[in-house]
């Protein structure tokens, strides 16, 4: 890290992880810059309210010149590429868009960083450290369990396939150009800031509403899929730690525990005092995916040993935190 104030540029700053990462970096004394897409992004105001010290730049992962402009304005020491079309179910209906942003967008960002270093950093390709937001969805149907950094990648959705492309392109830029490019293979991580399209937040919001008498029913798809769920606030710390290492590398970030959607629903309802929730949950076949990832559980031994990282928030605490936050928000009419 440089002796003067370190500077970071974050794509996906309006997302769940972007907000937690911005808070973490600001607390560490960084100057933080973020890329926001769109001419009137509804989430821009949220970033301005929660992290007012972040400098925002207009840009899109499909638009190389906008990324080059953001790099030139920020002159970052570290780039965190969190931007993506990230909702797996949506990726089947929007496969080409998902590929443009989540796959090709990674190449566009890597290439922008490479060109920026050539033009403005004395051709020093190590001058900017790069983090790529890879995903456990890349493991998909892999028969190995738990999954680690060398597990076979067998993605099951256009999103997963796109993440595999971005992951390998990041490794390729590291190997081809000596870039300090690291890839974090993060398993599902959640928080009260999680988008309502994802199952944890959909459940926490509905359970909160049912407990307050504002709703009666929660429609869900596959209750038997299993995920390794952690807390987003813990996971952004792992991103930062990866870029503080002398050598770039790839790391699995996970809790090592897996739970079904049924467990999630059970913990959430029990937290508000409803033990028998069967009358509140309706199965909706329209929510079943064309191809499912049945079971994910990660082995984060390498992150523990090399980065000294481990998760702090457990599954029940995470679910309770999310339900409590939604109860509080609904009570204040949010
Ligand atoms: P998220 O809340 O869905 O945020 C995604 C971000 O990407 C948003 O800021 C979004 O901006 C931005 N984005 C979308 N299209 C873009 C484009 N064309 N150009 C620039 N930015 C664009 O996702 P998250 O949960 O914070 O996840 C952050 C990253 O980690 C993503 O790459 C995701 O795929 C990956 N990941 C997430 C998890 C997880 O469990 N959360 C696990 C593994 C990997 P708008 O606000 O404008 O839509
Ligand atoms: O689904 C099942 C669904 O959409 C989890 C993204 O952040 O993590 C996330 O991807 C499971 C699936 O997350 C509903 O079939 C049942 O098995 O919350 P999700 P995801 O697909 O695991 C990975 C690591 C990422 O990288 C992604 O960006 O829940 N499920 N019923 C449902 N899922 C949703 N969304 N809605 C339902 O009603």
């Amino acid at each position: 890290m440089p002796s003067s104030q370190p500077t970071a540029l974050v794509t996906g700053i309006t997302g769940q992880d972007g907000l937690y990462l911005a808070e973490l970096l600001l607390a560490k004394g960084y100057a933080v810059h973020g890329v926001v897409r769109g001419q009137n992004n509804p989430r821009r105001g949220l970033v301005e309210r929660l992290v007012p010290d972040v400098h925002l730049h207009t840009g899109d992962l499909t638009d190389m010149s906008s990324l080059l402009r953001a790099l030139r304005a920020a002159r970052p020491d570290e780039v965190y590429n969190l931007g993506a079309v990230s909702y797996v179910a949506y990726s089947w209906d929007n496969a080409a868009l998902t590929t443009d942003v989540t796959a090709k967008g990674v190449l566009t960002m890597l290439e922008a960083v490479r060109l920026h270093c050539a033009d403005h950093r004395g051709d020093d390709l190590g001058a900017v450290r790069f983090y790529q937001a890879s995903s456990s969805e890349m493991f998909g149907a892999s028969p190995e369990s738990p999954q680690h950094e060398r597990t076979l990648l067998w993605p099951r959705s256009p999103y997963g396939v796109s993440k595999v492309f971005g992951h390998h392109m990041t490794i390729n830029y590291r190997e081809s150009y000596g870039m300090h490019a690291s890839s974090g293979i993060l398993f599902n991580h959640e928080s009260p800031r999680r988008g309502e399209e994802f199952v944890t937040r959909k459940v926490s919001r509905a359970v909160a509403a049912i407990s307050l008498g504002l709703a009666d029913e929660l429609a869900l798809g596959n209750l038997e899929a299993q995920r390794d769920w952690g807390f987003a606030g813990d996971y952004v710390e792992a991103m930062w730690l990866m870029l503080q290492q002398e050598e770039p590398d790839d790391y699995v970030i996970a809790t090592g525990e897996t739970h079904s959607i049924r467990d999630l629903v059970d913990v959430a309802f029990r937290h508000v005092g409803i033990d028998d929730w069967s009358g509140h949950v309706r199965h909706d076949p329209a929510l079943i995916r064309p191809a499912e990832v049945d079971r994910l559980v990660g082995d984060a031994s390498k992150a523990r040993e090399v980065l000294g990282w481990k998760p702090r928030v457990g599954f029940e605490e995470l679910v309770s935190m999310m339900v409590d936050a939604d109860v509080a928000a609904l009570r204040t009419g949010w």
Side-chain angles (χ1 to χ4, degrees):
M1 186 172 300
S3 52
S4 57
Q5 184 183 30
T7 300
L9 178 67
V10 181
T11 70
I13 191 100
T14 56
Q16 170 189 255
D17 291 7
L19 284 169
Y20 280 109
L21 181 65
E23 285 172 344
L24 178 83
L25 295 173
L26 288 170
K28 289 185 181 296
Y30 278 67
V32 180
H33 296 250
V35 175
V36 178
R37 74 176 169 129
Q39 63 185 44
N40 185 19
N41 191 316
R43 291 180 63 83
R44 186 185 181 106
L46 183 71
V47 179
E48 287 169 340
R49 188 159 48 79
L50 292 176
V51 279
D53 293 334
V54 171
H55 310 276
L56 296 179
H57 307 276
T58 299
D60 196 296
L61 284 166
T62 61
D63 182 341
M64 161 83 86
S65 66
S66 72
L67 301 178
L68 284 168
R69 273 197 303 280
L71 284 162
R72 204 160 53 199
R75 288 188 65 80
D77 306 295
E78 298 172 8
V79 169
Y80 294 87
N81 188 37
L82 310 186
V85 172
S86 76
Y87 182 31
V88 173
Y90 176 88
S91 78
W92 275 281
D93 290 333
N94 300 271
L97 173 69
T98 304
T99 306
D100 285 347
V101 178
T102 306
K104 198 160 162 252
V106 184
L107 171 60
T108 308
M109 191 75 228
L110 282 163
E111 194 57 12
V113 170
R114 192 176 75 83
L115 292 173
H116 172 76
C117 288
D119 290 346
H120 300 281
R121 307 299 287 255
D123 221 4
D124 176 10
L125 286 180
V128 179
R129 296 184 173 192
F130 182 87
Y131 173 84
Q132 170 54 22
S134 290
S135 166
S136 53
E137 277 296 299
M138 301 190 305
F139 297 125
S142 175
E144 191 174 4
S145 183
Q147 297 91 32
H148 53 81
E149 291 79 5
R150 293 169 314 286
T151 294
L152 171 73
L153 304 180
W154 188 340
R156 297 268 286 167
S157 63
Y159 170 81
V161 173
S162 297
K163 283 289 178 187
V164 171
F165 176 90
H167 180 64
H168 280 299
M169 203 46 95
T170 302
I171 294 170
N172 184 257
Y173 268 56
R174 180 166 81 214
E175 293 177 352
S176 304
Y177 302 116
M179 268 178 71
H180 193 292
S182 293
S183 181
I185 308 171
L186 272 51
F187 282 61
N188 299 53
H189 46 280
E190 320 292 316
S191 74
R193 292 176 180 167
R194 188 61 145 147
E196 288 178 34
E197 64 272 38
F198 301 99
V199 75
T200 50
R201 185 73 200 292
K202 182 174 176 182
V203 168
S204 70
R205 186 93 180 154
V207 168
I210 290 167
S211 77
L212 295 173
L214 301 172
D216 193 42
E217 192 184 75
L218 164 62
L220 288 171
N222 179 8
L223 292 187
E224 310 313 328
Q226 291 175 273
R227 290 291 183 273
D228 180 333
W229 280 296
F231 172 53
D234 291 344
Y235 284 42
V236 296
E237 209 168 322
M239 298 176 188
W240 177 76
L241 282 167
M242 285 177 218
L243 296 203
Q244 309 319 304
Q245 305 307 305
E246 209 49 55
E247 296 300 327
D249 209 340
D250 309 316
Y251 297 91
V252 159
I253 301 298
T255 70
E257 256 186 48
T258 193
H259 297 272
S260 66
I261 316 302
R262 188 180 294 283
D263 293 340
L264 163 72
V265 171
D266 194 52
V267 170
F269 273 109
R270 277 196 289 106
H271 184 64
V272 297
I274 301 174
D275 291 340
D276 179 7
W277 43 266
S278 53
H280 290 295
V281 174
R282 176 171 63 81
H283 175 67
D284 183 351
L287 295 168
I288 299 292
R289 298 178 176 183
E292 180 62 281
V293 172
D294 292 326
R295 185 173 193 272
L296 290 174
V297 56
D299 173 0
S301 315
K302 181 175 168 184
R304 197 169 50 242
E305 282 154 25
V306 181
L307 306 177
W309 179 87
K310 63 175 187 328
R312 294 196 184 91
V313 178
F315 176 65
E316 297 219 359
E317 189 185 345
L318 173 65
V319 177
S320 306
M321 176 207 298
M322 292 178 69
V323 173
D324 288 344
D326 276 320
V327 168
L330 286 170
R331 279 208 172 111
T332 57
W334 180 48

